Structure formats: structure tokens, C-alpha cells
Amino acid sequence: MKNLLIYCLVFLFSSHLTASELRVAVAANFLGTLNQLAPLYEAQSGQTLLISSGSTGRHYAQIQNGAPFDVFLSADVERPQLLVEEGLALADSRFTYARGVLVLWSDQQDLPLQGGEFLHSGSLQHLALVNPRTAPYGAAGVEVMQQLGVYEHLQAGHIAQAENLTQALQYISSGTAQAGFLALSQVIESDGSIRGNAWLPDVDSYASLEQQAVVLSASPQLEAGQAFLDWLKSDQARAVIEAAGYGF
């Protein structure tokens, strides 16, 4: 009830937004890429993107509770599909805007990450992992650890669970965790190189990180929301998305 009251207050406030503002809920892994895309779209369309970043599961729950977003860029297929089935999103708007890549990453160059060797190491104290119940990248990390036969051991006190991928990266950068499972997009440089120490698990070792977007049914700007999603399919947008470490 408290959450619903908060969203109602936000909606009342958001009713004063101009028609040139589009409210976008985005999965944390795609925030950096969307921040690159936003000025390009704004320059072309004259519309400002009001961006709210967080885990896919949390955004899904917020939308179910009436959060006033216009567009949802999810980190999975499941939540957009559920929103369509629940009448909360437009079926014709749903499409795959990117496919993510999982990376085991650390800013410590001496850790033996390749092949997941460090996950078997007795020197591993804490591993950053986004909540696998709400974030697809966390679930993918669990799949990789299960295949390596280390998940049960690490689950017993060695995992520093984060609410979203941004927080998982902060855990590693602050030293709370020595390494962690992240999205490649978080650590890729503009020239395509990967900063720090990284291991890319085989993409066949975890479920496809297909990311879908939808226009939300309650949005007062259905046409504007669809126009933005259509632009994400353009060559201009796709070039930015691909350079950020995503596939299609």
C-alpha cells in the first residue's frame, strides 16, 4: 500500500511533465549505453528521456504497482512477455533490442580468472553477484558456477549479493569483493578493449541474455514511446549498442 501511495504521488508530479519528456525504465546493465544513446535521440526527436535505472525484477514489480513509466528496457524476455500477458504492455511493441554478454571481472590483475580458475581458489573471499532472482545476469552467473561445480560452496558465505549490476561493480571497485559477474558493457572501452582483468565464459554455458523492450499500456505517450523503440532499431542506435558490447 505504501509503494502504491508513493507511485501515485510520483504520477501526480509526473502529470506536470511536458509532452517532450519520455520516462524510460532501464535495466542497470544497459544504463551506460542508454546514456550514450539519449543525446543522439534527443537531438533528433526533440524529446528528453527521463531515465530510471534498476534491476529488471524491481522495475517489473514497480510497473505492476503502477509506476508511471512510458517505456521499459528489460534485461530479459520473461518480464516484457509477462507485462504483455497482464495487459500492462503493448504486444506489438515488444522486440529484442540487445543480447548481453556475461563477464567475470576484477580490477586486480593478478587473479587467475581465465577458465573460472579463481572460483576454485582457496584465496577467494567474496564474489560479487547481482540477485539471481531479480536480475538475469545474476542467474547467468549462477549457471556458470553450477557448471564449474563451485556454486554450493561459494553460496555458503562467499557471495556478496548486489541489488543490481551497478552495485555489483561498486562492490568490486571498493574491495568488498575481489571479483564478480558483470555485463561486458560495464567494462568495455570505446576501442573495444576490456579494462581490468576479465574472463568471458562460453555463451553456451548460460541462458541467452536476450533483452527486450516494451511500451507500457498506461503511458499517456504511446506513439512517442513506440517512436523511441523504433529508433532503437535504426543503424545509428545499433552501432552504439554493438560498440558497447552487445549483440543482436
Side-chain angles (χ1 to χ4, degrees):
M1 189 69 183
K2 181 180 178 182
N3 285 343
L4 182 57
L5 177 60
I6 291 173
Y7 295 139
C8 287
L9 291 173
V10 171
F11 181 79
L12 289 174
F13 171 78
S14 66
S15 66
H16 297 289
L17 296 174
T18 70
S20 63
E21 295 173 315
L22 193 72
R23 298 159 299 186
V24 181
V26 62
N29 75 87
F30 200 72
L31 175 61
T33 307
L34 184 58
N35 283 336
Q36 296 178 54
L37 292 166
L40 300 177
Y41 184 68
E42 290 169 0
Q44 177 177 308
S45 67
Q47 190 161 51
T48 300
L49 301 184
L50 301 181
I51 299 169
S52 176
S53 171
S55 72
T56 286
R58 181 172 292 273
H59 275 320
Y60 171 65
Q62 289 173 340
I63 292 166
Q64 285 185 310
N65 283 302
F69 299 122
D70 299 304
V71 169
F72 179 34
L73 303 184
S74 174
D76 66 4
V77 174
E78 178 185 1
R79 270 74 167 209
Q81 183 173 343
L82 285 172
L83 289 172
V84 168
E85 293 172 356
E86 294 162 0
L88 298 175
L90 303 183
D92 291 345
S93 70
R94 185 164 68 95
F95 85 104
T96 299
Y97 67 91
R99 291 180 187 272
V101 177
L102 185 72
V103 61
L104 178 63
W105 187 85
S106 176
D107 54 7
Q108 300 178 37
Q109 293 289 350
D110 59 337
L111 297 185
L113 299 187
Q114 297 305 310
E117 180 182 346
F118 182 62
L119 300 178
H120 294 276
S121 170
S123 62
L124 190 161
Q125 297 174 348
H126 292 100
L127 180 78
L129 180 75
V130 63
N131 188 342
R133 293 187 299 275
T134 60
Y137 283 82
V142 169
E143 286 186 77
V144 171
M145 287 187 283
Q146 288 174 331
Q147 289 201 21
L148 292 172
V150 298
Y151 182 58
E152 288 189 9
H153 167 67
L154 296 181
Q155 192 179 26
H158 293 282
I159 292 179
Q161 184 168 286
E163 182 177 323
N164 54 56
L165 283 169
T166 301
Q167 188 176 64
L169 178 58
Q170 290 172 347
Y171 282 173
I172 302 168
S173 300
S174 67
T176 300
Q178 296 154 286
F181 283 102
L182 302 174
L184 176 60
S185 60
Q186 293 176 281
V187 295
I188 196 169
E189 302 287 8
S190 58
D191 63 359
S193 63
I194 304 173
R195 67 177 182 272
N197 183 5
W199 171 55
L200 298 175
D202 192 304
V203 294
D204 293 329
S205 64
Y206 54 89
S208 173
L209 290 167
E210 185 176 353
Q211 305 192 187
Q212 291 196 337
V214 283
V215 175
L216 300 175
S217 303
S219 168
Q221 302 193 80
L222 299 179
E223 290 186 7
Q226 187 61 60
F228 173 59
L229 295 194
D230 288 342
W231 180 77
L232 287 180
K233 302 173 187 176
S234 70
D235 290 342
Q236 181 186 32
R238 289 201 162 205
V240 174
I241 294 170
E242 188 172 13
Y246 293 95
F248 298 102

